[in-house]
Amino acid sequence: MKSSAIVEFVRDVYQTQDFIPLHTPNFGVKEKDYVMETIESTFVSSVGKFVDQFEQQIESYTGCAKAVATVNGTSALHTALYMAGVERGDLVITQALTFVATCNAIYHMGAEPIFVDVSPASLGLCPKAVESYLLENAEVRDVGCYHNATGQRIKAVVPMHTFGHPVELDELSRVCSSWNISLVEDAAESLGSFYKNRHTGTIGDFGALSFNGNKIITTGGGGMVLCKTLETGLHTKHVTTTAKVPHPYEFFHDEAGFNYRMPNINAALGCAQMEVLQDYLIQKRKLAGLYQAFFANSDTHFITEPDYAQSNYWLNAIICPDSAVRESILKETNADGVMTRPIWKLMHRLPMFEHALRGDLSYSEYIEAHLVNLPSTPIHLTSNQSF
Ligand SMILES: *Cc1c(COP(=O)(O)O)cnc(C)c1O
């Protein structure tokens, strides 16, 4: 596949000769109205009706028992790991093929990641790889799962739904429960993605969403912890709001909490964005369909949703079997004003995680060397755009 053909195709789709970014937010009248309302009411900070409303919208959309809004996705993950009982010195199994936030949240719990390979079905954590890592390296005791060589407890497994494609959650849940390990889903990229009709982030013990500016919908900065039970949800809300015990004027905090509350002004954006989510999902699916048709019968493989799931197609991606071709696509499309990007460097290549425990990562390494992300902003595709 020639870079010039890709550039021409993307320009036709987006109907512009200007610079085409990877993913941009889009706001309408509602966003302005709701944000103005918070300013006029002075309720811009940590209390306000939009926070409650946004949490309720996410609860009814995802089907989780309780959703807790936070300042960003990283803080949502940090809180989720805290709530799952991860402690200083624990080990947490995750994928090396992820955005650094997943590992930063683990690190800041005082825990250490173990990197395991991803699955060709999803580009997310592979249940078989997790199980074989555990079989070779760990044992279950009454009090949990322990790593044989280091004696550390393996407390959680954190899969990430790469680019919105759901991981094999039934299989992962089965591995986690038989090894007595908590399951925390990094669903930062997968709002609108469903695993067998269940929303991603609601199958594990906890899930985390992100509403950063490049995600499918945005609150400027923001995140959400998805909780399985009302009880854990209320506790999650408590720890994200400094664990202050309600009282008309006394300050008493019964736990070392976080100040991770999403401000009302950001939640106002979130409420308006939830009203367009369904439309964005439809547009993104159409866009992915066009890419898929364009790359069909070429030497380049377009990544589609796993057959067991419905993906939000947050970020479109191709695999170029020839890595030299991949380098020229990255260079030439960017030079021509069409933004494309390689996938993140694998986590064990970063200085803070280079000594982390890890299993075989050969598929992650293959993806790292061959993947290209393509422009994915939702657009209204008209019927005269047929390619
Ligand atoms: C975006 C993202 C996060 C959270 O990011 P924030 O910028 O903190 O909202 C976490 N994990 C993954 C995989 C992400 O893509």
Side-chain angles (χ1 to χ4, degrees), residues 71-75 77 98-102 160-161 186-189 209-212 214-215 221-223 314 344:
V71 287
N72 54 46
T74 310
S75 61
L77 265 174
T98 186
F99 178 59
V100 72
T102 318
M160 195 279 280
H161 306 292
D186 182 346
E189 305 184 354
L209 301 177
S210 166
F211 308 108
N212 188 35
N214 61 345
K215 297 302 199 296
W314 170 57
W344 318 282

Side-chain angles (χ1 to χ4, degrees), residues 51-73:
V51 175
D52 298 331
Q53 194 182 310
F54 188 36
E55 288 177 346
Q56 281 157 17
Q57 280 171 303
I58 292 289
E59 282 159 15
S60 64
Y61 183 73
T62 64
C64 73
K66 180 83 187 88
V68 178
T70 59
V71 287
N72 54 46

